Amino acid sequence: MSAGEEQAIIKQYQPLIRALIPYEQQNRLLEGINKFSKRLPSAVRKVVKEEVVRLTSLTDAPADNSAFAHFPVMKFKHFGIQMRLDKVGAKILKNETSLYQDRYTVGVFESVMNSDFYQNQIKKDQFKKIVDAFNIESQSFTDIDFGDDIAIRPNFTVSSPEFEKGRHCSVSAFSHLGMVVETKRPPNVTTGDTITFTLPEVAGLTKEPTDIAFNLQAVKYNKHLGKYESFFVFPDDIEPEFLTNLRRYVEVTAYRQPLQRDLEIERAMQELERDRILENSPWLPIYLSAHKKSLKPTIALFTKANVEHNKAEKLLSSLQDKPFFDALAKELLKYNEAFVFHGTIKTKNATVKITATHRQLVEMGQLNALVYLLAKNDDFICSHCRLDVVTRTDKQKAFAIHDIASKEFEQLSNISHVLYCKDVSGYISNLTLSAKCSFKPLSSSLKASGDNWHIDYVMEEDLDRRNETRYVIDKAASIKIGLLSSLEARVADLSASGMRLIVAPNSELQKEIRVSVPDLKIKNEKYKVVHFEPATGVIRLCLAEVGRKTKVSANVDNIVEENTAYFKVRDIARIQRLTHRFIWELAVRHMPSLAVLCVMNRFTLDRLKTVYQSDNSDDLFPFSRTQNIIPLHGFFADKGQAKPKSLILEAMFKESIQQHLVVHCVRKSDNRLVFIRERDFLYSKLRTQIKEQLDEGKIQLSSTDVTAIRCHGAITPLTKKRLAQLSKLDKAMYDKLETMQAGYTHCIFITNMSALHHDLVIDNLIAKRESKEPDSVPD
């Protein structure tokens, strides 16, 4: 065998040679060769063996890498042998010596003197710096579990003749482990003393004032509160029944009362950040309840961001068809995700409205044909849907936090799932065919049935256009439609200057009508028709004459005052406010995609503050979380750069782009990641090559949508509510957290869309090249 052939073998089997080095050090080389290379030809095995023996031979050659080193170069001795190396060379020397079991061998010497090995080490170090620069700490959308550390700050005081001369003292922490009592001065007690405190009558804990013995554990000064805290624990002989009741009491009241100061700060931080993510999220939550063996949509939550990002009413209408929603629910319960196509297709006979999921179209073999036809029309919409289960515990928390009586809101109690939807039509509307396809007859299962679900919605108070208090009532009314004729109606709700009536469907009405409601002392009052739905018979009215508002308003006020208890539970503004808070509370615990909170800072990368991710999310694919550290370099870092930089983030913070698609191909043979530029993936011939590789099963496609949304303001609808408990504990921390809210600038949402983009590539759909591509989009 020639020298050239031996060198080729050594180069090819370099990983094997390095793996065998520890075996040679332990005199087990033959065992290692048999373990790793049973099928290798004997000539190759011989070359590998000889190379391992050569590399592990001791040497006393001095190493000097100054020819290619990064200065300064250091002079030092290693095992008594002179070295002249820079920092990188010294690091290689240390690592390689460790590989060869703390021996200075030929292999160590050659690694230190090899410039290619040196450059690879530099690249590894640079890549590690980039990865570390984009590593962000993560939080979960799930509530923080304080476990046995949970302690509340109750709203009662305790007293004892043996402590502070019987004065009533505030309790700063109370749990099944003991309690912490506040005093302005250090108490005259000794560690280990047993002191009996009187607990007052507390609903859910004690039925009458009760004496409980505690052992003093420590006395500490709390600089945040400016008070002394005495830490008491329960003695060993405490009644188990009392401790069981106490555990239950703490668990039940934890969401109605402040927690112990440090825990309350931690909880408030999480709640404020989750609220901010929901407030600025493009995802629109729709709440579902059980219906027969399937699900039905009941109510949606509108926010500033999801109304701006989506055509909200159009998105809701795309999900209302009953037969389609049954099919969608089955798919979501199986996969937790679906992509819905909704629009019209022109056939020879008529224009047909269709709705389908991308999996339905793939199964029919019609994804490419129907996407091509749908994308031609302006009314097309594609929605990305994700489903999550709403547990009984979630609902109990929401009712408790906002002090809502569940019996008054049966519709909310019946919620079982939350469906998040987002308009992703931008990725579909520009697609065309890259190869011929067959156009099959349109399946009747895709056509709209005309039988729709009604989906209510609630919104923030400043988005709601109705600013008057309205009351739900049911009273007989009549509408004068002629000299001697009238139309029967029912009053559905009432306000000072308007009402909602229900009449027989398809009734004929004028623009202004006269209404009489005997029970409300309204007689022939002139109202203007604001909105009329002939199919349902729902009429929305407002007073035609502004001058009459005072008299009608007085009548309404008198009726309400006479029956305050009756109308309180029928106040629509109150009902909507509580409904909004309840479904908001459910939404923040089930956000569907990974979210990055950004703050103000001079340096771009330092603006990434916290990542929130659900426990079962796969939005990081093809990367993964390590404990509580999230790697974001694969989505943001500029490729091929020596230093951590991000053109994507800079463009998003400058708002020159809002959305970007990050694409990777995972090579199955060695799990190597190959980054694909967005424009190459969408427009170029590379898309055809990716299709061929997918067809052959050689790669896996990962496509991730990155969307940045500027925060709509310093406060969210629940900011005051979240900080209310903390204001009772620590005013300084309350002010600090309130001021911090203005520091958040953007929310960036990272969403895995691989399922859709994979099938679009497979079905020969490619984006039409735009006349002007954005210059600011990074390569």
Side-chain angles (χ1 to χ4, degrees):
M1 185 179 292
S2 67
E5 289 174 332
E6 287 186 3
Q7 287 302 313
I9 290 171
I10 290 169
K11 185 176 180 181
Q12 182 180 353
Y13 292 98
Q14 194 61 228
L16 173 61
I17 291 168
R18 289 183 71 83
L20 290 171
I21 287 168
Y23 286 88
E24 167 61 12
Q25 304 280 11
Q26 299 168 16
N27 294 318
R28 296 165 54 211
L29 180 57
L30 187 61
E31 178 188 333
I33 290 176
N34 290 333
K35 180 178 180 181
F36 291 118
S37 54
K38 287 180 182 178
R39 297 180 183 178
L40 288 181
S42 59
V44 173
R45 286 162 60 96
K46 182 182 178 184
V47 172
V48 168
K49 179 182 176 183
E50 289 175 353
E51 179 63 11
V52 172
V53 171
R54 188 185 73 83
L55 291 175
T56 53
S57 302
L58 293 174
T59 183
D60 58 359
D64 182 350
N65 77 340
S66 57
F68 51 82
H70 287 188
F71 288 90
V73 172
M74 301 171 288
K75 291 181 181 180
F76 61 94
K77 287 188 177 182
H78 182 67
F79 295 148
I81 300 164
Q82 190 66 42
M83 300 286 153
R84 195 163 181 266
L85 306 172
D86 67 346
K87 286 184 179 180
V88 178
K91 185 177 179 181
I92 293 171
L93 177 67
K94 179 182 176 183
N95 293 341
E96 290 295 294
T97 302
S98 175
L99 174 65
Y100 287 87
Q101 294 192 339
D102 290 330
R103 300 172 72 197
Y104 183 61
T105 67
V106 172
V108 177
F109 171 76
E110 289 184 356
S111 294
V112 173
M113 297 298 289
N114 188 327
S115 63
D116 290 338
F117 196 90
Y118 179 90
Q119 293 302 326
N120 286 335
Q121 184 65 42
I122 287 178
K123 285 179 182 177
K124 285 181 182 178
D125 291 345
Q126 288 174 339
F127 181 70
K128 186 176 185 301
K129 285 179 183 177
I130 291 171
V131 171
D132 290 345
F134 286 91
N135 279 350
I136 311 296
E137 285 194 11
S138 72
Q139 296 279 355
S140 173
F141 287 112
T142 308
D143 288 335
I144 300 169
D145 183 7
F146 294 110
D148 282 344
D149 292 332
I150 190 165
I152 61 170
R153 184 186 178 99
N155 54 9
F156 58 77
T157 57
V158 295
S159 62
S160 170
E162 309 159 53
F163 188 81
E164 289 291 277
K165 299 179 181 179
R167 294 190 187 96
H168 285 264
C169 301
S170 298
V171 180
S172 61
F174 195 46
S175 72
H176 70 279
L177 300 174
M179 72 175 178
V180 182
V181 177
E182 288 181 358
T183 53
K184 290 182 180 179
R185 293 174 293 276
N188 187 20
V189 286
T190 307
T191 302
D193 286 355
T194 299
I195 297 175
T196 301
F197 283 95
T198 302
L199 268 63
E201 180 184 342
V202 180
L205 181 62
T206 55
K207 295 180 180 178
E208 57 185 15
T210 307
D211 292 339
I212 302 291
F214 292 88
N215 294 334
L216 180 64
Q217 192 177 54
V219 177
K220 298 178 184 178
Y221 178 72
N222 189 323
K223 63 180 181 180
H224 299 291
L225 301 175
K227 293 180 180 178
Y228 288 89
E229 291 186 321
S230 301
F231 292 78
F232 292 93
V233 294
F234 290 107
D236 296 334
D237 59 351
I238 187 74
E239 292 182 14
E241 186 180 348
F242 176 77
L243 282 184
T244 303
N245 286 341
L246 181 54
R247 277 179 182 271
R248 191 184 303 115
Y249 172 74
V250 171
E251 184 180 340
V252 169
T253 59
Y255 293 98
R256 294 193 179 100
Q257 296 190 46
L259 298 180
Q260 180 262 336
R261 178 188 174 274
D262 293 342
L263 305 185
E264 185 61 36
I265 292 170
E266 200 171 339
R267 179 168 74 172
M269 281 289 292
Q270 186 195 37
E271 289 181 335
L272 289 166
E273 291 190 334
R274 289 190 309 193
D275 288 346
R276 185 160 304 282
I277 289 168
L278 175 58
E279 169 76 350
N280 299 289
S281 168
W283 293 93
L284 191 155
I286 301 171
Y287 296 85
L288 316 180
S289 57
H291 176 73
K292 296 180 180 178
K293 292 184 179 180
S294 186
L295 301 169
K296 68 173 183 179
T298 57
I299 192 167
L301 173 63
F302 285 1
T303 66
K304 295 187 184 79
N306 69 32
V307 168
E308 283 178 13
H309 191 275
N310 307 287
K311 298 170 184 174
E313 292 183 7
K314 191 174 180 180
L315 192 152
L316 290 184
S317 67
S318 71
L319 303 173
Q320 287 180 316
D321 189 79
K322 289 184 178 180
F324 166 73
F325 197 86
D326 283 345
L328 174 64
K330 288 177 184 176
E331 187 173 315
L332 287 167
L333 288 169
K334 184 176 181 180
Y335 298 104
N336 293 329
E337 181 180 66
F339 294 89
V340 177
F341 299 103
H342 178 75
T344 55
I345 290 178
K346 292 180 181 178
T347 64
K348 292 180 180 178
N349 301 324
T351 300
V352 182
K353 185 174 286 188
I354 72 162
T355 312
T357 70
H358 100 280
R359 286 190 179 89
Q360 286 177 318
L361 298 181
V362 168
E363 192 176 332
M364 294 175 181
Q366 286 286 281
L367 179 66
N368 49 8
L370 290 182
V371 166
Y372 173 71
L373 294 173
L374 284 167
K376 284 185 172 183
N377 298 316
D378 294 336
D379 66 341
F380 166 71
I381 183 172
C382 176
S383 309
H384 187 180
C385 301
R386 286 186 170 180
L387 185 74
D388 204 358
V389 176
V390 175
T391 65
R392 183 168 171 267
T393 304
D394 292 331
K395 290 183 281 189
Q396 286 176 338
K397 286 178 184 177
F399 281 129
I401 289 169
H402 299 293
D403 198 19
I404 301 171
S406 57
K407 292 179 181 178
E408 293 180 17
F409 293 86
E410 189 176 344
Q411 183 188 21
L412 301 182
S413 298
N414 292 334
I415 289 173
S416 61
H417 293 77
V418 56
L419 171 63
Y420 287 90
C421 306
K422 182 174 71 164
D423 186 350
V424 292
S425 307
Y427 290 120
I428 313 297
S429 57
N430 193 35
L431 292 178
T432 188
L433 296 169
S434 63
K436 290 183 179 180
C437 73
S438 59
F439 292 89
K440 299 176 183 178
L442 197 61
S443 171
S444 59
S445 63
L446 304 180
K447 297 177 184 177
S449 67
D451 186 13
N452 293 339
W453 290 113
H454 173 69
I455 305 177
D456 288 323
Y457 60 86
V458 292
M459 60 183 76
E460 300 166 28
E461 290 181 6
D462 56 347
L463 286 179
D464 197 337
R465 294 170 297 280
R466 295 162 294 187
N467 53 15
E468 278 188 339
T469 301
R470 297 179 299 136
Y471 301 97
V472 178
I473 59 173
D474 183 16
K475 299 290 183 182
S478 64
I479 301 172
K480 192 172 183 181
I481 56 173
L483 189 61
L484 297 173
S485 60
S486 62
L487 179 67
E488 291 185 0
R490 303 292 299 183
V491 181
D493 70 50
L494 176 73
S495 68
S497 59
M499 65 173 68
R500 179 163 61 97
L501 298 181
I502 309 293
V503 297
N506 301 315
S507 301
E508 292 186 7
L509 295 173
Q510 298 172 334
K511 291 183 179 179
E512 289 189 353
I513 58 176
R514 289 192 176 272
V515 179
S516 296
V517 188
D519 290 350
L520 303 179
K521 298 178 183 178
I522 295 174
K523 186 176 182 181
N524 280 339
E525 200 68 58
K526 187 187 284 187
Y527 282 88
K528 184 166 64 176
V529 177
V530 177
H531 181 69
F532 177 43
E533 296 177 19
T536 58
V538 175
I539 314 169
R540 299 182 189 280
L541 307 173
C542 72
L543 282 170
E545 299 174 12
V546 179
R548 297 288 297 164
K549 182 176 176 180
T550 305
K551 182 179 179 182
V552 177
S553 179
N555 285 341
V556 173
D557 290 342
N558 289 336
I559 294 168
V560 171
E561 285 176 12
E562 291 171 6
N563 303 276
T564 306
Y566 175 87
F567 280 102
K568 182 182 178 183
V569 295
R570 288 161 178 80
D571 180 350
I572 291 178
R574 173 182 171 272
I575 293 169
Q576 285 195 328
R577 183 169 58 253
L578 294 179
T579 301
H580 176 268
R581 288 185 170 187
F582 179 88
I583 63 177
W584 181 288
E585 205 64 50
L586 297 184
V588 296
R589 289 168 171 76
H590 297 277
M591 290 304 294
S593 63
L594 186 144
V596 186
L597 279 171
C598 305
V599 294
M600 288 187 288
N601 200 291
R602 287 177 57 197
F603 304 104
T604 302
L605 300 189
D606 290 337
R607 296 186 66 170
L608 304 177
K609 179 182 181 287
T610 313
V611 174
Y612 273 81
Q613 183 188 28
S614 63
D615 297 332
N616 56 355
S617 169
D618 68 343
D619 290 319
L620 268 181
F621 181 79
F623 306 94
S624 58
R625 177 174 64 183
T626 305
Q627 293 179 338
N628 68 328
I629 300 298
I630 300 282
L632 297 179
H633 63 280
F635 305 109
F636 295 137
D638 291 350
K639 306 301 179 287
Q641 295 293 322
K643 294 182 179 179
K645 291 182 181 178
S646 177
L647 284 175
I648 289 179
L649 286 176
E650 289 174 8
M652 286 182 166
F653 291 145
K654 290 176 183 175
E655 297 180 31
S656 55
I657 63 168
Q658 186 185 37
Q659 208 164 24
H660 190 66
L661 191 69
V662 180
V663 183
H664 293 89
C665 287
V666 185
R667 202 161 64 189
K668 291 185 179 179
S669 61
D670 57 1
N671 280 335
R672 185 184 170 192
L673 281 182
V674 180
F675 171 73
I676 311 292
R677 295 189 306 173
E678 180 186 32
R679 66 169 73 99
D680 289 342
F681 174 71
L682 294 176
Y683 307 116
S684 74
K685 293 180 181 178
L686 183 60
R687 191 175 177 94
T688 309
Q689 296 172 18
I690 292 172
K691 172 188 160 38
E692 292 171 358
Q693 296 280 307
L694 288 171
D695 287 339
E696 294 172 11
K698 291 182 178 179
I699 62 170
Q700 185 177 358
L701 182 67
S702 167
S703 52
T704 305
D705 171 74
V706 180
T707 300
I709 294 181
R710 173 173 279 281
C711 292
H712 282 77
I715 62 169
T716 68
L718 268 71
T719 299
K720 291 181 180 178
K721 170 79 176 178
R722 304 305 191 195
L723 289 170
Q725 304 283 32
L726 187 59
S727 66
K728 302 172 186 176
L729 307 183
D730 190 331
K731 187 64 169 64
M733 184 54 69
Y734 165 85
D735 292 335
K736 185 177 180 180
L737 283 185
E738 189 177 39
T739 305
M740 275 176 59
Q741 300 313 300
Y744 294 94
T745 61
H746 293 78
C747 292
I748 301 177
F749 297 88
I750 298 175
T751 312
N752 189 335
M753 294 181 63
S754 302
L756 175 65
H757 284 288
H758 173 276
D759 291 336
L760 294 176
V761 172
I762 290 290
D763 271 36
N764 295 312
L765 287 158
I766 190 169
K768 291 177 282 189
R769 190 170 290 279
E770 298 173 351
S771 55
K772 282 189 178 181
E773 292 178 25
D775 299 328
S776 57
V777 177
D779 292 343

